Amino acid sequence: MKKLLFAAVAVFAFSFASAQEEESNGGFSQGDVFISGAVSFGSSKTGDFKENSFEIAPKVGYFVTDNIAAGLSVGYISNKLDNGAADATNSGFGVGAFGRYYFTPASKFSLFAELAANYTGYKYEFDPEDFTAVDADVKEFGVNVGAGLNYFVSSNFSIEAGIAVLGFTSNDNGGNGAEKTNTFGFGGDWRAVTFGVNYKF
C-alpha cells in the first residue's frame, strides 16, 4: 500500500512538474504584445568638469500574425556638461517603427529578421569631439535590416540578442547649406551585438 501511495505521489509530482515546465516554455502567438527598451544614466567628474548622461528608449511590439510582429519605438537622450563656469546640453528625441518575422515563434527559442526605420532630431550646444560651444539642430533618418534571436526564460520573460546586417543613414549636419552625410553599411559587427529583455503580455 505504501509503495502504491508513493508511486501515485511520484506520478502526480512528475505530471505537475512537466505541466509547469511546459507552461513556462513561453513563445509568441498572434495577439501577443511585448515591451522592451533601454534606460541608462551615467555621471563622471574630473576636477570642476562634470558630465551627466541619460537615455530612455522604450519599444513595444504586437504580433499581427503568429510569425509577424510590428511595433513602434521612441527615445530621448541627454548629455549635460558643466565646467564650473557654464553648462551646456546636447539632447535628442527619436521615433521609429519596425517589423519582424519570427521563424519559430511558438517555441522557447526563435530566430527573427527585422526591418526598422527611425528618425531622430538632435540639439547640440557643444561639439562632442572637442567640447567647444556650438549651436546646431541635426536631423538623421535611418533604415536598418537586422537579425536576432529570442529565448524565453519563463512564460513572460525572454532574452533577446540582435545585430545589424544592412543599414543606411542620412544626416543633414545641421542644415543651413551644410552637405548631408549619407552612410551605407553591410555586414554584421559581432562587437556590436545588442542584448535586452522582453516582457510578454
Side-chain angles (χ1 to χ4, degrees):
M1 184 67 179
K2 287 183 179 179
K3 289 183 179 180
L4 184 60
L5 181 60
F6 177 79
V9 170
V11 170
F12 174 80
F14 178 79
S15 300
F16 179 80
S18 298
Q20 291 295 102
E21 182 179 355
E22 183 176 339
E23 183 180 345
S24 66
N25 278 345
F28 291 115
S29 61
Q30 184 177 4
D32 283 345
V33 177
F34 66 88
I35 60 171
S36 63
V39 177
S40 64
F41 174 79
S43 180
S44 65
K45 182 178 180 181
T46 305
D48 292 330
F49 183 86
K50 294 185 292 185
E51 182 176 3
N52 294 318
S53 61
F54 172 75
E55 179 181 7
I56 182 168
K59 176 187 291 187
V60 60
Y62 173 77
F63 274 79
V64 293
T65 71
D66 284 340
N67 296 87
I68 298 174
L72 299 172
S73 63
V74 295
Y76 173 78
I77 185 170
S78 174
N79 191 12
K80 183 176 181 179
L81 296 179
D82 186 346
N83 63 7
D87 58 56
T89 302
N90 287 351
S91 61
F93 180 79
V95 294
F98 66 91
R100 290 180 177 179
Y101 182 86
Y102 285 78
F103 292 92
T104 55
S107 301
K108 191 173 183 178
F109 175 88
S110 182
L111 298 173
F112 65 83
E114 178 180 274
L115 173 64
N118 55 76
Y119 173 85
T120 307
Y122 298 96
K123 171 67 176 177
Y124 286 101
E125 293 183 356
F126 68 92
D127 189 320
E129 297 295 329
D130 58 14
F131 304 113
T132 56
V134 295
D135 184 10
D137 292 304
V138 177
K139 299 176 180 62
E140 184 175 279
F141 173 76
V143 179
N144 297 283
V145 176
L149 57 88
N150 196 86
Y151 179 78
F152 273 89
V153 295
S154 73
S155 57
N156 296 99
F157 285 97
S158 65
I159 298 173
E160 180 180 297
I163 186 170
V165 177
L166 181 69
F168 170 81
T169 59
S170 178
N171 189 309
D172 72 352
N173 292 313
N176 298 321
E179 293 287 338
K180 288 185 178 180
T181 299
N182 295 324
T183 306
F184 177 80
F186 175 74
D189 184 353
W190 295 103
R191 298 165 299 179
V193 176
T194 59
F195 293 94
V197 176
N198 291 335
Y199 179 79
K200 182 189 76 172
F201 292 93

